[in-house]
Amino acid sequence: MLELQGHGGYFVLDFLLNETIKAGARIARSGEFSERAFLNDKIDLAQAEAIADLIESSSEEAARSALRTLQGDFSKLINSLCSAIVSLRVYIEAAIDFSEEEIDFLTEGKTAESLRGIINQLNSILAQAKQGALLREGMSVVIAGKPNAGKSSLLNALAGKDSAIVTDIAGTTRDTLIEQINIDGMPLHITDTAGLRESDDIVEKEGVRRALQAIDGADRILLVVDASQDTVTPGNLVSYLSELGFRKLTNAVDPSRVTIIQNKIDKANLEEGIHKDHDQQGNIITTLHISAKNQIGLALLRDHLKDCMGYQSAGEGGFIARRRHLDSLESARKCLLQAETQLLGAGAGELVAEDLRHAHQHLGEITGEFSTDDLLGKIFSSFCVGK
């Protein structure tokens, strides 16, 4: 390995780099060093991904969790689970091989007890992984409503700065405006949108179209209502959304994804608070009474957003996780549950062993024990150059 340190500005460094390339060197590919470490068994795939997650972390807690994954905390849990599955597979396959013995090893309680213990262990890891995925990916929140309902004021209040222009003129916001904040370590991607109404203005029409597009893909929709002008309840929520143009969405919005924000309670003589009621379909709809301008009720809103995603602070034992990790864990869980059904229902040892093998493979995809070149190429190509 040769390390060169150049002095001066960009031109000198660029000249030095070009000269080294002329001498036979080449630019490192994205993620090449991490990929080499993985291929040489220095780290596993989850640890390699944690390098990129550590670099891209958007909060202190996310960085700490990524570091714990890099140090192998997540991998140790997966490897422990895989070891338990392999042990049970060995026991079951031995029972199949010695099926002529008088004792039926499959129907006696030890096998079912061991399998249930593995399922419980996986459920615990999956719960932690979901928290880790929240730390990495965060929550997408869209602020929507009629013009002049106080949407931009709410964005500014949550962001803690004047990101959006606020005036008494309806229709000030014409485009989507995104702010990144975090609540107790959970990243929040908040989008302020144009006021939803019919308009002949070409620019405002485009703003409304973009607003509806953002709403379509949001984890949570904060429907801001001027409490001094409109009354929106769980009972009339669906019709109100339809009037605002939600009927134009590609996918029908689940009302349970909507939180009603009764804003400007100072003008409507309402008290700050949070209320939960059922709509006509039985969905639980949350209504918050706040004043964005006067910073009233924001603590309730922050707690509500954490509750919506089931977020809890990771604490000392948390680790970072990705969507593909969750998918692999869910797939492994399905295989284990299917194995339990086969065991308790038909006592079909061969089928149980096969389900356990598939579960082991899904878990191996997390650490790279079982992986494809396409998967590796996709993962490492997302790293920054050389890392």
Side-chain angles (χ1 to χ4, degrees):
M1 178 181 287
L2 173 66
E3 182 175 339
L4 301 174
Q5 294 187 1
H7 300 284
Y10 172 81
F11 175 78
V12 174
L13 295 175
D14 188 54
F15 177 80
L16 181 61
L17 181 61
N18 287 329
E19 289 301 309
T20 57
I21 292 173
K22 287 179 182 178
R26 66 169 175 82
I27 299 293
R29 299 190 308 272
S30 297
E32 183 171 357
F33 295 149
S34 299
E35 184 178 13
R36 287 187 180 191
F38 165 71
L39 293 175
N40 290 314
D41 295 324
K42 302 296 184 183
I43 55 176
D44 64 31
L45 193 54
Q47 290 174 293
E49 290 171 306
I51 295 171
D53 294 335
L54 179 60
I55 294 169
E56 296 170 2
S57 54
S58 57
S59 68
E60 180 181 350
E61 190 160 1
R64 291 182 183 277
S65 295
L67 183 59
R68 284 190 284 268
T69 300
L70 178 57
Q71 291 170 339
D73 288 14
F74 185 23
S75 302
K76 288 175 185 175
L77 292 173
I78 297 299
N79 291 333
S80 173
L81 190 57
C82 287
S83 296
I85 290 175
V86 169
S87 296
L88 185 57
R89 279 182 64 192
V90 170
Y91 182 82
I92 290 175
E93 289 173 11
I96 294 170
D97 291 340
F98 295 97
S99 57
E100 69 277 3
E101 297 291 334
E102 294 181 3
I103 302 174
D104 189 347
F105 293 100
L106 293 180
T107 56
E108 52 97 7
K110 180 182 176 182
T111 306
E113 183 180 341
S114 297
L115 181 54
R116 176 40 56 179
I118 291 172
I119 293 171
N120 291 338
Q121 187 179 348
L122 187 146
N123 286 338
S124 175
I125 296 172
L126 181 58
Q128 293 180 69
K130 287 180 178 178
Q131 295 298 311
L134 273 178
L135 274 175
R136 180 180 184 273
E137 299 172 4
M139 178 184 185
S140 171
V141 179
V142 169
I143 303 174
K146 291 182 178 180
N148 222 24
K151 300 184 298 300
S152 296
S153 295
L154 180 57
L155 175 71
N156 292 343
L158 289 172
K161 58 182 180 179
D162 292 334
S163 298
I165 298 173
V166 176
T167 71
D168 292 331
I169 302 171
T172 304
T173 302
R174 296 296 188 93
D175 203 350
T176 53
L177 178 62
I178 302 175
E179 274 292 334
Q180 314 285 345
I181 68 169
N182 76 78
I183 301 175
D184 295 339
M186 181 182 76
L188 215 63
H189 315 289
I190 309 176
T191 303
D192 182 25
T193 59
L196 299 174
R197 66 176 177 182
E198 295 292 337
S199 174
D200 294 328
D201 186 294
I202 296 176
V203 177
E204 189 169 4
K205 274 186 176 181
E206 177 61 17
V208 170
R209 188 194 67 80
R210 294 187 182 190
L212 293 173
Q213 186 178 44
I215 289 166
D216 223 5
D219 292 318
R220 198 75 194 169
I221 302 160
L222 301 182
L223 179 65
V224 182
V225 179
D226 184 342
S228 66
Q229 301 288 334
D230 292 332
T231 300
V232 180
T233 66
N236 67 358
L237 175 61
V238 173
S239 60
Y240 187 83
L241 293 176
S242 180
E243 290 175 12
L244 290 182
F246 278 49
R247 62 186 180 278
K248 300 176 183 177
L249 295 175
T250 305
N251 303 309
V253 170
D254 180 0
S256 62
R257 276 205 292 136
V258 179
T259 298
I260 302 171
I261 305 294
Q262 292 282 358
N263 190 30
K264 304 184 183 182
I265 58 172
D266 48 317
K267 291 184 177 181
N269 295 320
L270 295 174
E271 293 292 327
E272 137 185 40
I274 182 168
H275 310 277
K276 295 180 183 292
D277 296 292
H278 290 87
D279 65 6
Q280 296 173 345
Q281 286 73 41
N283 300 303
I284 297 177
I285 308 297
T286 301
T287 302
L288 281 158
H289 290 176
I290 73 165
S291 172
K293 181 180 178 180
N294 297 318
Q295 307 276 310
I296 298 172
L298 295 184
L300 290 174
L301 177 55
R302 292 189 181 98
D303 288 341
H304 169 67
L305 290 173
K306 288 194 297 181
D307 290 342
C308 289
M309 297 298 286
Y311 177 76
Q312 298 173 347
S313 179
E316 291 302 315
F319 54 81
I320 209 77
R322 294 188 170 202
R323 175 54 52 187
R324 77 169 195 89
H325 301 154
L326 297 184
D327 292 341
S328 294
L329 286 167
E330 289 284 6
S331 297
R333 182 174 180 274
K334 288 179 182 177
C335 291
L336 292 176
L337 291 174
Q338 186 169 302
E340 186 177 46
T341 300
Q342 297 287 2
L343 179 65
L344 299 179
E350 293 85 352
L351 296 178
V352 173
E354 185 66 7
D355 286 330
L356 290 176
R357 185 179 71 84
H358 285 304
H360 185 196
Q361 283 188 326
H362 288 305
L363 293 173
E365 291 170 357
I366 295 174
T367 58
E369 181 182 356
F370 304 106
S371 59
T372 64
D373 291 340
D374 288 343
L375 174 64
L376 297 181
K378 183 177 180 180
I379 288 172
F380 288 109
S381 65
S382 66
F383 282 40
C384 51
V385 174
K387 281 291 181 283

